């Protein structure tokens, strides 16, 4: 789940970036794997005619059946297990009885708690046959995130991550959303630091081994501006252009990065059908 001022864990954040050891890495591997498995499980169910509320129920049952807790359920008054953001919804889409339709693209974002550790991840799903422009947006978003992740190693900065994403996305004539960002996590859902998906090389805090955080760029086909609807959660593009997002939870290692939420089945980046 992306963070912004109104839905952050401000009361739990000290402002310091926590450094974790071997126990933390092991805890995050377990939580991240289960979150990824939940999204893998949903793949055959994301089809035309299914409601997003049904997908939310499937996710909740899966998480509870595996002895974990859905982190979003009851969080700041949010009463669902996942966020499902379709088409021009940027993030924090609320599951409902509205059925998915042929050609939709949807981001599903899940966070699970396993033994106190948070595994937070999201990915894109295509509903039936998807237009070439929508498929291209999804591909650009995944590649942008991959370039951000590739910039993670001790000695680099958070600005290096954001710059890598922004430089690629804007070269593809798309835009990076500024209103939401990634976040630190571990035993706290939304912890320090905020992880921007745009920036300048060398700026921001220096990356150190043991830092845990999410990288979760939101990319629009149109302009970057968004607005939050009256429900207080759903963020949409102001120009109603398509938006896509993908997210990994990760940890800084001695020589690079470990992805806690990699799909065990290799299904993180979807093969979206289209003509």
């Amino acid at each position: 789940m992306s963070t912004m001022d109104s839905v952050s864990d401000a009361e739990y954040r000290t402002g310091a970036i926590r450094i974790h050891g071997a126990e933390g890495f092991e805890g995050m591997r377990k939580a991240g794997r289960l979150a990824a498995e939940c999204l893998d499980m949903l793949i055959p169910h994301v089809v035309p005619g299914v409601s997003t509320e049904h997908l939310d129920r499937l996710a909740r049952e899966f998480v509870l059946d595996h002895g974990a807790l859905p982190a979003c359920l009851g969080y700041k008054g949010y009463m669902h297990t996942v966020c499902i953001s379709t088409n021009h919804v940027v993030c924090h889409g609320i599951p409902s009885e509205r059925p998915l339709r042929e050609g939709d693209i949807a981001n599903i974002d899940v966070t699970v708690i396993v033994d106190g550790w948070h595994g937070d991840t999201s990915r894109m799903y295509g509903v039936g046959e998807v237009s070439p422009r929508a498929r291209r947006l999804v591909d650009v978003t995944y590649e942008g995130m991959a370039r951000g992740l590739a910039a993670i190693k001790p000695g680099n900065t958070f600005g290096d991550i954001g710059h890598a994403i922004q430089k690629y996305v804007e070269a593809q004539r798309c835009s990076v959303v500024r209103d939401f960002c990634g976040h630190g996590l571990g035993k706290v859902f939304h912890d320090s630091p905020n992880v921007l998906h745009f920036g300048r090389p060398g700026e921001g805090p220096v990356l150190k081994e043991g830092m845990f955080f999410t990288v979760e760029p939101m990319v629009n086909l149109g302009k970057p501006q968004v607005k939050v609807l009256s429900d207080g959660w759903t963020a949409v593009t102001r120009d109603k252009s398509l938006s896509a997002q993908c997210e990994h939870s990760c940890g800084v290692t001695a020589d690079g990065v470990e992805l806690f939420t990699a799909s065990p089945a290799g299904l993180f980046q979807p093969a979206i059908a289209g003509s």
Side-chain angles (χ1 to χ4, degrees), residues 208-266:
K208 297 179 181 179
E209 183 180 1
M211 289 180 174
F212 296 165
F213 51 87
T214 68
V215 177
E216 47 180 305
M218 286 138 278
V219 176
N220 297 345
L221 266 182
K223 295 180 180 179
Q225 287 78 19
V226 309
K227 63 179 179 180
V228 177
L229 301 184
S230 59
D231 59 32
W233 288 97
T234 308
V236 300
T237 55
R238 283 192 173 272
D239 60 9
K240 298 188 178 180
S241 63
L242 289 176
S243 186
Q245 182 190 14
C246 50
E247 173 184 14
H248 270 313
S249 296
C250 62
V252 182
T253 65
D255 57 0
V257 62
E258 178 176 347
L259 303 183
F260 299 128
T261 48
S263 164

Side-chain angles (χ1 to χ4, degrees), residues 33-217:
R33 181 183 179 92
L34 184 63
E37 289 174 339
C38 181
L39 295 185
D40 286 353
M41 176 275 296
L42 290 173
I43 290 172
H45 301 282
V46 182
V47 294
V50 71
S51 73
T52 52
E53 190 166 86
H54 176 67
L55 298 176
D56 183 69
R57 286 194 295 268
L58 290 176
R60 181 165 59 254
E61 291 168 2
F62 179 89
V63 173
L64 294 174
D65 286 349
H66 285 79
L69 295 174
C72 292
L73 190 60
Y75 178 78
K76 304 287 186 181
Y78 190 79
M79 296 310 297
H80 298 272
T81 295
V82 297
C83 296
I84 304 181
S85 305
T86 58
N87 300 326
H88 73 290
V89 178
V90 175
C91 61
H92 302 159
I94 301 173
S96 71
E97 285 299 329
R98 175 194 176 275
L100 294 173
R101 289 179 279 196
E102 183 84 16
D104 284 348
I105 56 172
N107 174 274
I108 302 182
D109 188 339
V110 65
T111 307
V112 304
I113 306 173
V114 178
D115 298 329
W117 297 96
H118 290 74
D120 186 1
T121 184
S122 80
R123 67 178 77 156
M124 296 300 298
Y125 298 75
V127 183
E129 295 287 318
V130 171
S131 70
R133 62 199 298 268
R135 285 188 292 122
R136 178 177 175 274
L137 172 66
V138 171
D139 289 342
V140 168
T141 304
Y142 276 80
E143 179 62 23
M145 183 191 65
R147 294 188 182 216
L149 292 168
I152 298 174
K153 64 179 181 181
N156 279 2
T157 70
F158 282 94
D160 293 328
I161 299 172
H163 176 73
I165 296 169
Q166 180 185 7
K167 181 179 179 181
Y168 173 76
V169 168
E170 293 181 351
Q172 302 304 310
R173 304 183 304 282
C174 296
S175 63
V176 177
V177 171
R178 264 67 165 175
D179 298 64
F180 300 91
C181 57
H183 52 90
L185 83 168
K187 289 203 167 182
V188 174
F189 190 174
H190 292 108
D191 206 354
S192 297
N194 289 337
V195 182
L196 304 182
H197 304 114
F198 59 95
R200 297 179 180 178
E203 291 191 346
V206 175
L207 298 168
K208 297 179 181 179
E209 183 180 1
M211 289 180 174
F212 296 165
F213 51 87
T214 68
V215 177
E216 47 180 305

